[in-house]
Amino acid sequence: MSERTYAIIGTGALGGYYGARLACADVPVHFLLHSDFAHVKAHGLRVESPEGDFSVQKPSVSAQPEDMPRCDVVMVCLKSTANHLLKKILPHVLADDGVVVMMQNGLGVEDEAAAIVGPDRVMGGLAFLCSNKVGPGHIQHLNYGQIRIGDYDPAGRVKGVTPRARAFGDDLVRAGLPVVLEDDLILARWKKLVWNVPYNGLTVALNTTTDRLMHDPHTRKTCEALMREVQQGAAAFDRTIDEAHVQKMLDDTDKMVPYRPSMKLDYDEKRPMEVEAIYGAPLRAAASKGVHLPRMAMLYEQLKFLDAANRPLV
């Protein structure tokens, strides 16, 4: 049993899956829920997975952050569009010597947590997971599940693999999750954008799924072109994304089941999309180094229009 206690902030497709895996490995986990609170308190968490279904019958759940115990590791699994809530959440749930792990897409999300709890108490976690929330307390895991962990440095320097990253990784491995410890969080974030930039945005803009993007030669070419621009953005910060990584992202997507990425799911459900974290922040970062990424910029502008037009009228 882990000596560390965990808080899951955002018990959806991501937090529900990883939190349930940790809980099933006898890691002390406390879940913050909103709309699902009453259901999960009464019925628990259920995960369907090709690796075997599992459930947490009596999870520790809270509807308000002030009702949660202070935990050693706080995994922020909210969408980045909800990060304005962190000021109200993190001071209640983070132990005095605890660490916040930002399990979010995009670039610069650690900066938001660091502004609240301090830069020495923040790490980054990158989830490579195909998973959907299909009902209250009901997660459907489709494929993958790897987490890549890196420690945060406010100046963007290479931090190396730290003891606390190893400890966090040990708990995840105990839960049966594949883990990679990254010595360079900035490079890891740009490398994840190689997948997120083409597939999240294009599935929305073209109203499609990943398999159709890959099977059509024109959209496949567009995906590759967007990946090249992410490489250019990373290079502006002296980070090299090699061709093997680009090819792996293409190969992995070729093998993937037909999939709607998180941004497409958000669009279809008329929820705010993570346009700023996945597109705006990398574009601004690259521009600060004098690098313009025209295809990504055009997709960003299209997504901003679609996001605004998709919001329910108040």
Side-chain angles (χ1 to χ4, degrees):
M1 184 172 178
S2 171
E3 297 177 354
R4 288 165 290 280
T5 56
Y6 282 73
I8 302 294
I9 309 302
T11 309
L14 184 76
Y17 175 72
Y18 288 127
R21 290 291 296 263
L22 285 165
C24 287
D26 292 327
V27 174
V29 182
H30 306 278
F31 297 88
L32 181 66
L33 298 110
H34 181 52
S35 59
D36 290 3
F37 171 74
H39 180 92
V40 174
K41 185 174 178 63
H43 304 287
L45 278 169
R46 179 161 62 102
V47 179
E48 295 178 359
S49 172
E51 299 170 3
D53 300 347
F54 58 97
S55 62
V56 184
Q57 297 297 324
K58 295 186 181 297
S60 172
V61 297
S62 300
Q64 301 295 331
E66 54 265 33
D67 296 332
M68 295 183 73
R70 293 182 180 273
C71 294
D72 301 310
V73 182
V74 177
M75 295 176 65
V76 175
C77 303
L78 298 168
K79 295 290 178 64
S80 60
T81 51
N83 279 359
H84 61 281
L85 300 174
L86 295 180
K87 288 182 181 179
K88 297 179 180 180
I89 296 173
L90 294 181
H92 290 289
V93 301
L94 184 63
D96 290 342
D97 57 352
V99 61
V100 175
V101 184
M102 297 298 285
M103 300 285 301
Q104 295 181 327
N105 286 324
L107 198 66
V109 293
E110 288 82 16
D111 298 340
E112 297 184 65
I116 301 168
V117 303
D120 58 334
R121 304 180 73 193
V122 178
M123 293 170 55
L126 297 89
F128 294 81
L129 175 72
C130 293
S131 181
N132 297 319
K133 179 184 169 185
V134 295
H138 183 188
I139 309 300
Q140 186 178 60
H141 171 223
L142 302 173
N143 209 341
Y144 304 110
Q146 183 189 82
I147 297 180
R148 305 180 84 92
I149 304 163
D151 225 314
Y152 168 74
D153 182 89
R157 294 168 297 207
V158 177
K159 196 72 176 284
V161 177
T162 61
R164 68 183 183 185
R166 292 189 186 280
F168 178 38
D170 287 345
D171 287 340
L172 296 172
V173 169
R174 190 176 298 113
L177 294 164
V179 173
V180 175
L181 302 179
E182 298 278 3
D183 60 3
D184 186 349
L185 179 60
I186 296 297
L187 176 59
R189 287 237 168 252
W190 278 104
K191 288 175 76 173
K192 191 174 184 193
L193 288 169
V194 170
W195 194 92
N196 275 335
V197 164
Y199 298 110
N200 270 288
L202 289 177
T203 52
V204 173
L206 301 177
N207 188 28
T208 191
T209 50
T210 54
D211 59 311
R212 294 183 67 189
L213 289 176
M214 296 303 287
H215 293 161
D216 183 280
H218 302 289
T219 51
R220 187 186 183 102
K221 183 178 179 180
T222 302
C223 289
E224 291 190 48
L226 285 164
M227 290 181 179
R228 303 295 176 204
E229 287 199 347
V230 175
Q231 284 181 300
Q232 293 173 39
F237 291 86
D238 299 319
R239 264 68 175 195
T240 300
I241 299 175
D242 59 30
E243 287 300 311
H245 179 74
V246 172
Q247 191 59 52
K248 185 177 189 306
M249 294 299 97
L250 292 167
D251 292 344
D252 286 353
T253 312
D254 273 327
K255 299 170 188 173
M256 193 180 290
V257 297
Y259 187 60
R260 288 185 300 160
S262 61
M263 188 173 284
K264 180 68 165 87
L265 290 171
D266 287 339
Y267 181 78
D268 291 346
E269 297 297 324
K270 296 189 178 298
R271 297 187 294 254
M273 297 189 294
E274 295 184 289
V275 181
E276 288 303 322
I278 297 177
Y279 297 90
L283 283 168
R284 289 187 289 272
S288 74
K289 299 290 188 179
V291 175
H292 180 53
L293 308 174
R295 292 179 178 84
M296 193 191 304
M298 180 176 288
L299 185 53
Y300 169 71
E301 291 161 2
Q302 293 169 338
L303 292 169
K304 290 293 284 187
F305 172 84
L306 290 168
D307 192 34
N310 195 43
R311 304 290 179 86
L313 295 175
V314 178

